[in-house]
Amino acid sequence: MTSSGAIDGTTSRPLFSVTDDGPDGQLFDRAVEAMPRERIRALQLDLLRTQLAGLGRRSPFYADLWAANGFDPLSVASLDDFDAPLTTKEMLRDSQLESPPLGRHAGVPMADVVRVHASSGTTGRPSYVGITGRDLEDWTQVVARVLYSEGMRPDDVVVHAFGLGFFVGGLPLKDATERIGATFVPIGTGSSDRVVQSIRDLGGTVLMSTPSYATYLAEYCRNKLGLEPAELGLRKLLLGAEPGASIPAVRARLEADYGAVVGDGMGNADVFPIYLASCPEQDGLHLCAEDQLLTELVDPDSGRRLDWTEGTEGELVVTHLRRECVPLVRFRVRDRVVVGATTCPCGRTSPRLHCVGRTDDLLFVAGVNVWPSAVKDVIASMAPRTTGAMQIVLADAGPVVRPPMRVQVEYGLDVEDLDELRTDVENLLRDKLVVAATVDLVPPNSLPRWEMKAQLVRRRR
């Protein structure tokens, strides 16, 4: 595969892609995924300079933003001196409200768009993401690398339990599954009977869903069908759209329930459907789009760029290197990550990232930073005394929470001494997270179950 001409008439360097012989059993796209770091950086600089030059001419949003901040898109001589102003989700929302449907940052006319997806908006209006034919090809290639890294292979039968509408976890995953050569079974949400029947009738080997739905399906099998989840015969659970699969206690519980390997991935509609993926080492998530995406870390408070070294924690910032429609330049993803090792036994040369949480989900309790996913990990680690289901209940909008933090926790079926359990949960939250909490124990199956993203925080008003 080679790249097409850029939308503004320039020609970009051919894209490194799958070898002529196809995937090699370990990596889907070895030419990119095992590329030495110095070559990746050189490629990124070349693509970045081409992208910036084109956007300066075809995007009024970026032309105005850069002029207002004194940034010259033709002045970038190295990745280290790339200092374009940061952009945010709110800026993209305003751009689309000002110039519907795709915004002043769209970069292409609607006639060049072959598909539109959407993410949830903060005002009730969806945030639309258009893609051109070349964007679609790039999406499919990146997502195929992700799914292959997580363990999907051509002989798999993949039962898809995400939504298939606007959501980027639908059609893009279908396209990538078919590119790998696996069998795609589109079930969607709200049909657990059909999910189970399809797995059994078609010999399903992979379940693709949110961690919350995989947890729900295990309970559904036991409580409604009298069936142990492991009896389904799944070999892999490829999970995403929320942080559950990266929470150690949740992942361990799912692997034990299903007798299957859990793969984890991260992405979003604005950037790529998925661009971070676990590998067999299960030690962080690899960047699977380094020929498509420049990634940086910044301090969440000041926006200052941080060194990309092992152990550094910061907010992820990304720049599209080839995107034609709705491209992003130094976009604040709001995911807070820690950089892991830069080498991996799997052969991928991209850094591994460990996601801590979203900066807009972070709670502050008496000066202590509390991630809802960390609370979930503590609660899930107490199974079977708890079911693992929980919700943090806030009296107001947050993120500042007056202690003690209130947490609803489902107790397990065989728990007899609720007072003892309540004390143990509160003590463990204090010991592990250094946070004072009041725990309300509620009966099993009384808290909401989620087929899509789990809501770990509930605000009363």
Side-chain angles (χ1 to χ4, degrees):
M1 182 187 74
T2 59
S3 64
S4 64
I7 202 74
D8 62 355
T10 62
T11 301
S12 58
R13 175 180 294 185
L15 187 66
F16 293 92
S17 186
V18 181
T19 59
D20 293 339
D21 296 330
D24 61 13
Q26 293 180 315
L27 307 180
F28 186 77
D29 202 346
R30 178 170 289 276
V32 171
E33 295 175 87
M35 187 181 293
R37 299 306 304 161
E38 62 274 13
R39 288 188 60 201
I40 280 285
R41 299 287 284 177
L43 174 63
Q44 289 177 332
L45 178 60
D46 184 36
L47 293 173
L48 175 65
R49 296 178 69 179
T50 299
Q51 178 79 324
L52 294 177
L55 284 181
R57 294 191 294 269
R58 60 188 174 88
S59 170
F61 171 85
Y62 286 115
D64 292 347
L65 177 66
W66 295 342
N69 287 272
F71 172 71
D72 179 0
L74 302 181
S75 68
V76 177
S78 72
L79 297 180
D80 294 332
D81 65 14
F82 176 41
D83 61 352
L86 296 168
T87 56
T88 65
K89 182 73 171 180
E90 291 75 22
M91 294 167 69
L92 302 186
R93 177 201 63 198
D94 292 344
S95 169
Q96 291 197 346
L97 290 174
E98 183 178 346
S99 181
L102 298 181
R104 298 179 74 242
H105 65 292
V108 298
M110 197 67 174
D112 290 332
V113 174
V114 300
R115 186 191 294 171
V116 175
H117 286 274
S119 61
S120 58
T122 58
T123 62
R125 182 183 186 274
S127 177
Y128 293 109
V129 178
I131 53 174
T132 67
R134 192 180 80 174
D135 293 338
L136 176 59
E137 171 66 20
D138 289 348
W139 273 28
T140 303
Q141 188 73 358
V142 168
V143 177
R145 293 174 193 164
V146 165
L147 299 182
Y148 203 86
S149 179
E150 293 178 12
M152 185 183 293
R153 294 296 182 268
D155 62 349
D156 276 318
V157 176
V158 181
V159 175
H160 182 273
F162 284 119
L164 280 170
F166 263 170
F167 177 52
V168 292
L171 293 175
L173 271 64
K174 176 200 78 73
D175 296 338
T177 298
E178 292 171 352
R179 173 157 297 186
I180 289 173
T183 302
F184 186 81
V185 183
I187 304 298
T189 60
S191 304
S192 295
D193 278 335
R194 187 169 295 176
V195 167
V196 172
Q197 183 177 359
S198 298
I199 292 172
R200 303 183 86 173
D201 289 350
L202 301 174
T205 60
V206 174
L207 174 68
M208 194 180 287
S209 75
T210 65
S212 297
Y213 181 71
T215 300
Y216 167 82
L217 185 65
E219 295 177 353
Y220 182 88
C221 287
R222 289 190 175 107
N223 299 334
K224 301 292 186 181
L225 305 178
L227 177 73
E228 282 299 311
E231 295 179 57
L232 294 175
L234 293 167
R235 298 200 301 261
K236 303 151 196 164
L237 307 178
L238 303 189
L239 309 178
E242 62 183 30
S246 60
I247 299 173
V250 174
R251 184 175 70 233
R253 177 74 177 271
L254 288 170
E255 290 184 335
D257 280 346
Y258 286 92
V261 175
V262 169
D264 186 21
M266 281 179 54
N268 66 53
D270 294 302
V271 185
F272 275 98
I274 328 175
Y275 59 96
L276 289 161
S278 61
C279 73
E281 299 302 312
Q282 293 284 1
D283 184 19
L285 305 180
H286 284 282
L287 286 161
C288 294
E290 289 204 291
D291 56 340
Q292 307 273 350
L293 200 65
L294 177 65
T295 53
E296 305 172 61
L297 288 182
V298 301
D299 180 273
D301 297 321
S302 68
R304 177 179 57 85
R305 180 182 292 158
L306 303 174
D307 291 336
W308 192 275
T309 54
E310 186 172 352
T312 301
E313 178 175 334
E315 181 184 330
L316 200 60
V317 167
V318 301
T319 297
H320 284 128
L321 298 174
R322 285 172 47 89
R323 179 71 62 82
E324 293 179 328
C325 190
V326 290
L328 305 177
V329 177
R330 301 204 73 208
F331 176 72
R332 299 187 68 158
V333 182
R334 300 298 183 186
D335 287 328
R336 191 158 177 166
V337 299
V338 177
V339 179
T342 55
T343 59
C344 184
C346 77
R348 293 172 179 85
T349 55
S350 68
R352 283 175 282 179
L353 301 179
H354 301 268
C355 185
V356 178
R358 288 189 56 80
T359 56
D360 45 11
D361 286 342
L362 181 62
L363 302 176
F364 303 93
V365 186
V368 176
N369 295 350
V370 178
W371 299 100
S373 58
V375 178
K376 174 74 171 179
D377 190 21
V378 171
I379 302 305
S381 72
M382 299 187 71
R385 299 178 70 198
T386 72
T387 67
M390 51 72 64
Q391 275 197 330
I392 299 170
V393 181
L394 301 184
D396 50 35
V400 177
V401 180
R402 181 181 299 175
M405 180 178 67
R406 183 184 169 198
V407 186
Q408 291 183 323
V409 177
E410 282 187 3
Y411 57 83
L413 289 172
D414 298 326
V415 173
E416 296 180 355
D417 192 333
L418 295 182
D419 288 336
E420 181 183 23
L421 175 60
R422 180 182 297 105
T423 299
D424 289 347
V425 175
E426 291 175 352
N427 288 342
L428 192 59
L429 287 170
R430 185 186 64 243
D431 294 343
K432 294 288 188 180
L433 305 181
V434 197
V435 63
T438 295
V439 171
D440 299 328
L441 294 176
V442 297
N445 301 310
S446 61
L447 290 178
R449 275 13 181 209
W450 311 91
E451 293 190 358
M452 296 301 288
K453 293 184 179 182
Q455 304 298 318
L456 299 183
V457 177
R458 176 165 63 87
R459 293 167 172 82
R460 285 180 169 179
R461 57 183 177 181

